[in-house]
Amino acid sequence: YLAEAIELDTGELEPGKPVELRFSAKLTDPSDGTTAQVGLQAQATLDAGMERVTLVKPAIDVDAAGKSIPAQSLQARFGAEELVVVLAEDTALQFRALQGQFSLPGLQAVAADATGSFTAGEARLSFGKSTELVLPTLQAKLSATGKGIPGDTVSVDIRSTAMAADIDKLWANIETLSADVNGLGAKMSLTAKGRVAGSGAQLNGTLRLDPLSPRSLLAALDEPAPETADPAALTRFGGNAEWSLGRDALDLTALEFELDQTRISGSAGLQGFDQPLARFDLALDAIDLDRYLAPEAADGAAGGGSGGDAAPTGDDIPVETLRELRLDGRLAIAQLVYAGAKLADVSATVRADGGRLRIDPLAARAYGGQFRGNIGVDATGPVARVSVEQQLDALAVGPALTELFDVKELTGALSGRIDLAGTGNTTDAIVKTLAGNVALSLADGAWLGTDLWHEIRTARARLKGEAPPPRPAAPQTPLEALELAGNIGEGVLRTEKLLAQVPFIRLSGTGSLALAGQALDYRLQAKVFETPTFEDGSTLKDLTGLTIPLTVKGPLDSPKVGVEIKQLATGIATEKLRERLLKKLGGDEPAPAEGAEAAPAAGEGEQAAPTEAPPKEEKPRDILKRGLRDLLKQP
């Protein structure tokens, strides 16, 4: 260090006699240009051996600035009941009842102005091979105000034990520390050591946070607690980790924390404090995110919005927050509940910067199957654009529809691909603008609540004037296989291709599903490819080979199946006419040609050489009959 402009003013110096003392100097650290103006006033007494100076009620003023100061400047004033200066080989300052105040305007780490005060029963500052400060106990009060502070202001009471620092090496160590934030009583045990300032600043240590209530902490910071579906959410948080703090980075490693009933492990940190990049690699054992979402309003929409006749429904996309968000991390969750869906082995890589958020890849096991894909949100414009790409593999669609939409009418293993995109700042707006392609397949499924064959048999009985078959106790239509391909536009799924097979029938057709209202509107063709045989032993031979037009309309959970009676009657009549004409025209075997003679049977009379019958010219009537017979044989 360099000391300049030294001024020392005393009265007459005489051992054992008190004297007024004034001292001032400018101190400079040449390595980084940090300067400090130091001043001292006290009543001093020099002992007879010239080895100790005792200062009564000393007052020390410091005004410092430079690269080693984590703010624009540092102003401080220290005092004590007594300060003993030991003038031995290892010079030392021993304080009794030390106290002081300080201010740090323009604090760099959090964009705030900080002030504080402290008291210590004892303190020792020694100058030997290095400059060491020891504080057996310390009580301090800190406050900070600025835009980087939650609620714009925060006040913290700190108590610590066994605090030591090496000022030359800019090294510090703290064994225990407890903090009370705005009177909350948060307790944290902290150890710290390392370089505390300068270009190579690096502090590290361990911390333990005793469980506290995040709701109470937000209240203490004068911040509103979020409304959650579960009022018991955000009531417990605590854990331990190893930490390190550099000039522009804060990292937590070996992290083991608990949020309510969720265990969190891994690492997290901030890179840069001006525009921080949040980095994380976390693993969670189980979490129900639905507990932390806003509660549903009486009309089923997410609560928490403002009132008004035109209040939007759905969850708002926080576009302003996304534009400032910087993330780079990985997340693994063993068990996750979100929007009613139960997922397992969830893995996601999340990146966000400049208003663009992307989760890619996103994978999980769900309902006996798995899915993999990505989600993107572009909030660079006034309206957010959301894209979703998902590959599904053998998801049990029955439990999924039941839990997510309370739809219990469809079962089976669902596979396929979904590529969608929409725009809007609310989920309702995004659903209404969704556009993209869908290709799905369903295996070993069933359509519960509807018996397709019962509807067809009922329509046939009505046509023939017969009694309809009894309605089954548990109606269902087995779906041996189903393939669906189409596109989504303006919130409507339009199916360009639908193929399905149920017992004795192959279905094909087109239609639409309104996603918002979940309303079906499909027109299908049911091809009866083999003779239907039912559990009661009855058969419907007259339907074999027919194509029966069907309609499926209404809500997804209770659609109505319609059979086109007129076309069914036409098909049955056409089939009967075909059979009669075929029979009249000779059935499946052609009649022998007119005038042809039968060949003699073997062994009857003399063996005659075979002769070839002369060709006979066909009449127009014979040609017409043969052509009509062949035509009617075609399926």
Side-chain angles (χ1 to χ4, degrees):
Y1 296 97
L2 174 65
E4 302 174 283
I6 300 173
E7 294 186 8
L8 176 63
D9 182 9
T10 74
E12 183 179 356
L13 297 177
E14 182 179 346
K17 180 180 178 181
V19 61
E20 295 296 327
L21 181 149
R22 292 180 177 85
F23 169 83
S24 66
K26 178 183 178 182
L27 306 180
T28 303
D29 181 352
S31 65
D32 62 10
T34 299
T35 62
Q37 186 67 42
V38 180
L40 167 66
Q41 296 185 48
Q43 186 182 70
T45 302
L46 179 65
D47 71 348
M50 303 287 289
E51 294 183 350
R52 299 169 66 93
V53 177
T54 301
L55 304 178
V56 178
K57 296 185 182 299
I60 304 172
D61 294 290
V62 178
D63 189 347
K67 292 183 178 180
S68 296
I69 307 300
Q72 294 176 357
S73 63
L74 165 65
Q75 292 90 39
R77 183 177 181 85
F78 306 96
E81 288 296 320
E82 182 181 80
L83 166 60
V84 178
V85 181
V86 180
L87 302 175
E89 181 178 352
D90 291 336
T91 304
L93 305 179
Q94 299 175 350
F95 295 88
R96 180 172 61 84
L98 176 66
Q99 54 83 28
Q101 303 85 34
F102 64 88
S103 64
L104 288 163
L107 194 63
Q108 298 170 1
V110 290
D113 298 330
T115 60
S117 61
F118 67 90
T119 61
E122 297 179 3
R124 178 181 176 85
L125 180 62
S126 59
F127 305 90
K129 294 181 180 180
S130 61
T131 304
E132 296 181 352
L133 172 66
V134 177
L135 293 168
T137 62
L138 176 69
Q139 296 183 33
K141 185 172 183 177
L142 309 177
S143 62
T145 302
K147 63 179 183 179
I149 302 297
D152 295 331
T153 184
V154 64
S155 176
V156 184
D157 289 331
I158 298 175
R159 296 174 181 268
S160 72
T161 61
M163 178 181 292
D166 188 319
I167 298 176
D168 291 336
K169 298 178 181 178
L170 296 174
W171 174 92
N173 184 78
I174 303 173
E175 288 191 4
T176 63
L177 181 147
S178 64
D180 186 351
V181 180
N182 287 10
L184 177 64
K187 295 182 179 180
M188 178 174 62
S189 299
L190 178 76
T191 66
K193 61 181 179 180
R195 186 175 176 85
V196 298
S199 59
Q202 187 68 42
L203 269 174
N204 58 74
T206 63
L207 68 88
R208 176 176 179 79
L209 177 65
D210 290 348
L212 57 82
S213 169
R215 290 185 179 275
S216 299
L217 178 60
L218 289 170
L221 296 174
D222 198 25
E223 288 285 316
E227 294 186 35
T228 56
D230 183 359
L234 297 176
T235 55
R236 188 176 187 275
F237 180 70
N240 56 79
E242 297 178 2
W243 64 274
S244 63
L245 175 64
R247 188 168 183 84
D248 63 348
L250 169 64
D251 291 295
L252 298 177
T253 57
L255 187 149
E256 295 287 343
F257 271 73
E258 290 187 7
L259 173 62
D260 297 327
Q261 290 77 40
T262 299
R263 295 179 61 85
I264 305 170
S265 60
S267 62
L270 293 176
Q271 178 69 46
F273 295 122
D274 293 334
Q275 292 181 326
L277 169 66
R279 302 174 299 183
F280 59 90
D281 190 350
L282 299 174
L284 286 67
D285 60 350
I287 187 168
D288 183 351
L289 288 182
D290 290 348
R291 297 178 57 202
Y292 299 88
L293 298 179
E296 288 193 354
D299 58 358
S306 60
D309 296 336
T313 59
D315 301 327
D316 287 341
I317 305 298
V319 291
E320 294 295 336
T321 301
L322 288 177
R323 289 167 190 157
E324 299 179 2
L325 190 64
R326 299 184 70 214
L327 294 176
D328 183 4
R330 281 143 294 283
L331 192 63
I333 307 176
Q335 301 289 334
L336 170 66
V337 176
Y338 176 64
K342 296 180 179 178
L343 310 177
D345 297 337
V346 179
S347 62
T349 297
V350 184
R351 292 183 175 88
D353 195 7
R356 292 182 174 89
L357 168 68
R358 188 163 183 84
I359 306 175
D360 185 11
L362 170 63
R365 291 192 300 107
Y367 303 103
Q370 58 185 4
F371 70 85
R372 182 180 179 88
N374 61 74
I375 298 174
V377 180
D378 186 341
T380 56
V383 179
R385 177 176 175 80
V386 180
S387 62
V388 178
E389 297 179 0
Q390 292 295 316
Q391 182 72 42
L392 312 178
D393 185 13
L395 270 65
V397 68
L401 289 177
T402 299
E403 292 186 354
L404 300 180
F405 305 107
D406 197 27
V407 174
K408 306 175 182 178
E409 286 70 31
L410 188 64
T411 66
L414 182 67
S415 300
R417 183 175 180 83
I418 300 174
D419 297 331
L420 300 174
T423 58
N425 292 342
T426 66
T427 51
D428 283 353
I430 293 171
V431 168
K432 292 177 182 178
T433 59
L434 278 179
N437 299 315
V438 175
L440 301 173
S441 64
L442 185 72
D444 301 324
W447 184 6
L448 307 181
T450 299
D451 188 330
L452 184 59
W453 267 115
H454 174 76
E455 302 296 335
I456 294 175
R457 294 172 71 187
T458 299
R460 177 183 175 277
R462 188 181 307 117
L463 180 64
K464 290 179 170 292
E466 300 173 353
R471 181 173 179 80
Q476 64 173 335
T477 300
L479 295 172
E480 298 167 355
L482 184 147
E483 300 283 341
L484 181 150
N487 60 76
I488 291 180
E490 298 179 348
V492 177
L493 168 61
R494 293 177 175 84
T495 303
E496 300 171 345
K497 174 185 175 183
L498 185 148
L499 299 175
Q501 182 161 315
V502 303
F504 318 117
I505 288 179
R506 293 189 181 96
L507 292 170
S508 63
T510 60
S512 64
L513 167 63
L515 300 180
Q518 297 183 358
L520 293 165
D521 186 1
Y522 277 81
R523 289 188 173 274
L524 306 176
Q525 301 293 319
K527 172 70 174 181
V528 183
F529 64 89
E530 65 176 307
T531 302
T533 303
F534 305 102
E535 293 182 358
D536 58 4
S538 62
T539 62
L540 296 177
K541 294 183 179 180
D542 58 340
L543 297 184
T544 305
L546 290 186
T547 298
I548 305 171
L550 304 175
T551 59
V552 181
K553 296 184 178 182
L556 182 62
D557 57 351
S558 58
K560 300 297 182 182
V561 176
V563 180
E564 297 289 348
I565 298 293
K566 182 178 180 180
Q567 296 189 42
L568 176 61
T570 301
I572 294 175
T574 302
E575 180 65 18
K576 287 185 176 181
L577 177 61
R578 186 179 74 90
E579 291 177 356
R580 290 176 182 176
L581 287 174
L582 281 174
K583 185 175 181 181
K584 187 172 182 180
L585 295 173
D588 293 337
E589 296 294 331
E594 292 184 7
E597 296 180 2
E604 293 184 5
E606 297 181 359
Q607 183 71 31
T611 60
E612 185 173 323
K616 183 177 181 181
E617 182 179 356
E618 286 187 301
K619 297 179 180 180
R621 175 176 172 273
D622 297 328
I623 298 175
L624 180 60
K625 286 173 60 179
R626 188 178 71 249
L628 182 58
R629 182 175 61 243
D630 294 341
L631 178 63
L632 293 174
K633 285 182 182 179
Q634 296 179 6

